[in-house]
Amino acid sequence: MKTKLKAVTRKNSNPRALVAIPVQRAVPAKDRRLNFGDKWDYAPAPESVPVKIQPRYELFINGKFTAPTSGKYFESINPATEQKLSDIAAANAADVDVAVKSARRAYEKVWGKMSGRERGKYLYRIARIIQEKSRELAVLETMDGGKTIKESRDIDLPLVAAHFFYNAGWADKLKYAFPGRTPHPLGVAGQIIPWNFPLLMAAWKIAPALACGNTVVLKPAETTSITAMHLAQIFQEAGLPEGVVNIVTGAGETGTAIVNHPDINKIAFTGSTEVGKNIAKAIAGTGKKLTLELGGKAANIIFGDAPIDQAVEGIVSGIYFNQGHVCCAGSRLLVQEGVYSKVIKKLRDRIATLRVGNPLDKNTDIGAINSRMQLEKIRELVQSGVDEGAELVQPRCALPEKGYWYPPSFLTGVTASHRIAQEEIFGPVLSVMTFRTPEEAFERANNTPYGLSAGVWTDKGSKIFKMINKLRAGVVWANTFNKFDPTSPFGGYKESGFGREGGVQGLAAYCRLD
Ligand code: NAP
Ligand code: MG
């Protein structure tokens, strides 16, 4: 039951053409099964673990849940239904100040003095509670952020626990991590994270900071604060001493208050390049340590000798399975000319089978776009590609009436100067280009302001090594894509930021080494 693809080509002459693409049409509530014909569709398989969402989440400061001084709250919604889930406290500079003071107290009186062995015990305990609650946390992550339950249950949550376990193991062995050097904690770390991996980004930041003896003030993203507050409950349950981790929710201003607070020793930021640059300017000359994990525009490079079926599957999982909401998503595809038609045909067929819809359904491949704002950004950038002369390919795929959705898409005829070849799209949209020689492949791959990740698909080991040495990207995957492990450092070149998270390098970012 193959769905007929509708290739859509729109040229500059008709700026409204994209709006007319039939995929945007709504389907009746009773029939939201997508792509497949009625008879052969899977039965719905929604994740049934019950979760308790509080009507209101307060700030987590000094081990307690406290109301914001402004008395203000903002809504967190489910992007798949547009229904409100909860009210979230909006922290202002005064709340951030209380949080920093509590982190400083905890650092000086308890955590900074505690032996690594004892700190490790807390981290192990936190990791185990996360494992126990992982189904529930996965459902919350999916409801608040729109990502599929397959992703939150099978990728995010196991990695969240793994990062706490990994860093727990280092807590009493730091001197072995840095032979011949003596590591010291930095003090209070201010950490600001985005919405695409809410719990995982919190784990990437909190676990190494605590393992090294620092205390933390963390701000989750505005659209995905709920799981961070459940993580705070886990810290309470684990008996983590008061003030060791403080979580302040709010918008950009809350982040600015953290960045500008004079009593913070280290800022760790994951988010957009634009905000990252402003943070770097704001803390220049203050003596604060900084790591930035910013945007990306990864190239997935397919050579003619690659196993094409596996490569197509890797491309699909690298850009579509997570709505393209990954900084290291393979959002550019570079195909060697000889296999171009074959790859495009297979990709076309494969994306027609992807299922877009209820993220809580275990059969769903592509969930909801995180916010209306993000959806508009994706539409605008795709429109710019069409206006600049690229061809948009989307399967005929009906989308639910409510919520924020974008069908899996790719653009062909993209040139290096198009905005869709240069700017991060953060949506399920792939820009396809071709190359003839390996030299042309790495030149094209490197030709963006970013340098976070890349993928190489080939049967030849020698070609892999050649490409790895030439690609200016923090991570290069070979014959696979988007694979993560807490032992492996992650981070970017150029405008993708600096510093590494994960592995021993990730610990170094939270230590002063004598
Ligand atoms: P963003 O707008 O930069 O936001 C990131 C975080 O910073 C959010 O918590 C945000 O709060 C906060 N923030 C916003 N303005 C701020 C300011 N002026 N000062 C301090 N904090 C501020 O990015 P996003 O749209 O949430 O996330 C998507 C971006 O993150 C993409 O560019 C993606 O590539 C990048 N990313 C990178 C990595 C990596 O490891 N390299 C990983 C994941 C994501 P609000 O949510 O309230 O705006
Ligand atoms: Mg939400």
Side-chain angles (χ1 to χ4, degrees):
M1 297 296 292
K2 245 182 231 163
T3 308
K4 199 166 167 254
L5 269 166
K6 189 153 183 88
V8 186
T9 314
R10 296 290 183 266
K11 295 276 189 272
N12 318 4
S13 54
N14 182 1
R16 291 196 305 140
L18 196 70
V19 180
I21 290 171
V23 293
Q24 305 294 347
R25 95 172 181 275
V27 286
K30 64 177 175 34
D31 186 13
R32 289 190 183 153
R33 291 160 299 179
L34 304 173
N35 290 333
F36 288 77
D38 283 355
K39 278 185 209 139
W40 306 103
D41 205 355
Y42 292 120
E47 175 63 78
S48 52
V49 172
V51 292
K52 226 172 135 190
I53 299 179
Q54 293 172 207
R56 171 181 277 199
Y57 288 90
E58 308 290 4
L59 307 174
F60 183 63
I61 297 178
N62 205 31
K64 291 170 202 69
F65 291 95
T66 29
T69 50
S70 67
K72 289 190 184 143
Y73 293 80
F74 58 93
E75 290 184 358
S76 198
I77 64 151
N78 180 339
T81 60
E82 296 179 57
Q83 274 166 357
K84 176 178 156 182
L85 294 172
S86 185
D87 283 314
I88 313 287
N92 60 18
D95 298 308
V96 169
D97 186 49
V98 180
V100 173
K101 287 199 168 95
S102 113
R104 174 63 58 195
R105 232 180 2 257
Y107 173 68
E108 276 165 9
K109 299 214 153 66
V110 191
W111 200 253
K113 293 186 193 161
M114 194 183 275
S115 70
R117 189 157 171 261
E118 288 304 307
R119 290 199 306 269
K121 283 187 199 167
Y122 285 105
L123 290 173
Y124 278 123
R125 200 178 299 159
I126 292 164
R128 283 195 298 268
I129 303 175
I130 289 169
Q131 282 186 318
E132 280 161 23
K133 295 184 191 268
S134 73
R135 289 295 282 270
E136 186 189 332
L137 290 167
V139 171
L140 287 169
E141 200 76 305
T142 287
M143 289 177 78
D144 201 19
K147 64 170 59 193
T148 63
I149 190 72
K150 276 200 293 205
E151 189 188 3
S152 54
R153 182 197 59 192
D154 299 344
I155 297 171
D156 295 41
L157 263 300
L159 278 171
V160 171
H163 274 270
F164 276 98
F165 277 120
Y166 174 74
N167 286 286
W170 274 122
D172 63 346
K173 304 175 195 71
L174 290 174
K175 63 177 184 193
Y176 301 104
F178 310 108
R181 315 283 302 270
T182 310
H184 305 278
L186 299 170
V188 178
Q191 307 180 324
I192 301 166
I193 56 172
W195 44 260
N196 56 346
F197 288 90
L199 265 180
L200 185 57
M201 290 298 115
W204 275 27
K205 297 222 166 359
I206 295 173
L210 298 194
C212 295
N214 306 278
T215 57
V216 164
V217 176
L218 173 111
K219 187 196 97 65
E222 210 177 338
T223 54
T224 54
S225 301
I226 291 180
T227 47
M229 301 326 292
H230 283 254
L231 187 61
Q233 291 168 8
I234 290 175
F235 294 147
Q236 273 188 332
E237 198 178 326
L240 191 68
E242 290 171 356
V244 171
V245 177
N246 304 273
I247 302 182
V248 286
T249 43
E253 303 84 72
T254 314
T256 308
I258 295 176
V259 169
N260 293 334
H261 198 289
D263 200 28
I264 283 187
N265 306 95
K266 147 103 192 184
I267 296 288
F269 172 80
T270 297
S272 59
T273 295
E274 190 192 347
V275 174
K277 282 183 182 174
N278 288 336
I279 291 177
K281 277 186 213 147
I283 70 163
T286 63
K288 286 174 190 162
K289 235 180 147 171
L290 176 66
T291 41
L292 295 174
E293 300 278 3
L294 308 175
K297 192 74 192 172
N300 234 329
I301 303 165
I302 303 195
F303 284 96
D305 59 11
I308 302 295
D309 287 329
Q310 287 95 316
V312 168
E313 207 46 44
I315 290 152
V316 165
S317 70
I319 182 74
Y320 299 123
F321 281 174
N322 30 46
Q323 302 77 244
H325 289 350
V326 188
C327 47
C328 50
S331 60
R332 288 181 301 154
L333 174 60
L334 302 184
V335 191
Q336 198 156 22
E337 272 183 12
V339 288
Y340 177 76
S341 321
K342 193 172 169 189
V343 169
I344 291 299
K345 182 179 178 317
K346 283 183 188 280
L347 190 60
R348 221 172 239 264
D349 289 349
R350 181 65 179 100
I351 67 170
T353 67
L354 294 175
R355 303 167 62 81
V356 187
N358 182 3
L360 278 173
D361 193 313
K362 292 162 205 154
N363 299 317
T364 300
D365 298 309
I366 303 181
I369 302 300
N370 181 265
S371 65
R372 185 183 295 282
M373 209 173 84
Q374 186 57 31
L375 179 59
E376 277 160 15
K377 267 167 80 176
I378 297 168
R379 285 183 177 153
E380 190 273 325
L381 205 46
V382 170
Q383 180 69 63
S384 83
V386 173
D387 289 347
E388 287 181 309
E391 259 183 46
L392 175 65
V393 179
Q394 284 177 337
R396 220 190 102 254
C397 145
L399 304 173
E401 274 166 14
K402 284 255 176 198
Y404 314 131
W405 310 94
Y406 201 86
S409 313
F410 64 87
L411 289 137
T412 57
V414 175
T415 68
S417 63
H418 286 167
R419 281 181 61 206
I420 36 147
Q422 293 290 328
E423 295 178 28
E424 186 174 46
I425 189 153
F426 238 57
V429 183
L430 186 62
S431 300
V432 187
M433 287 170 272
T434 57
F435 68 91
R436 289 181 195 167
T437 61
E439 287 69 26
E440 203 183 339
F442 63 71
E443 270 167 27
R444 288 200 159 200
N446 289 339
N447 183 15
T448 76
Y450 297 110
L452 194 56
S453 64
V456 180
W457 299 83
T458 170
D459 201 29
K460 296 258 183 316
S462 56
K463 225 181 256 172
I464 293 172
F465 285 113
K466 180 170 183 177
M467 292 305 290
I468 287 173
N469 287 327
K470 301 277 187 184
L471 287 167
R472 302 288 294 160
V475 182
V476 182
W477 287 288
N479 293 331
T480 186
F481 206 78
N482 268 358
K483 292 284 181 287
F484 296 95
D485 190 279
T487 61
S488 172
F490 183 87
Y493 280 67
K494 301 192 282 185
E495 293 198 10
S496 292
F498 51 79
R500 294 292 179 265
E501 291 188 308
V504 174
Q505 293 82 349
L507 290 167
Y510 286 95
C511 293
R512 178 172 56 81
L513 296 174
D514 283 343

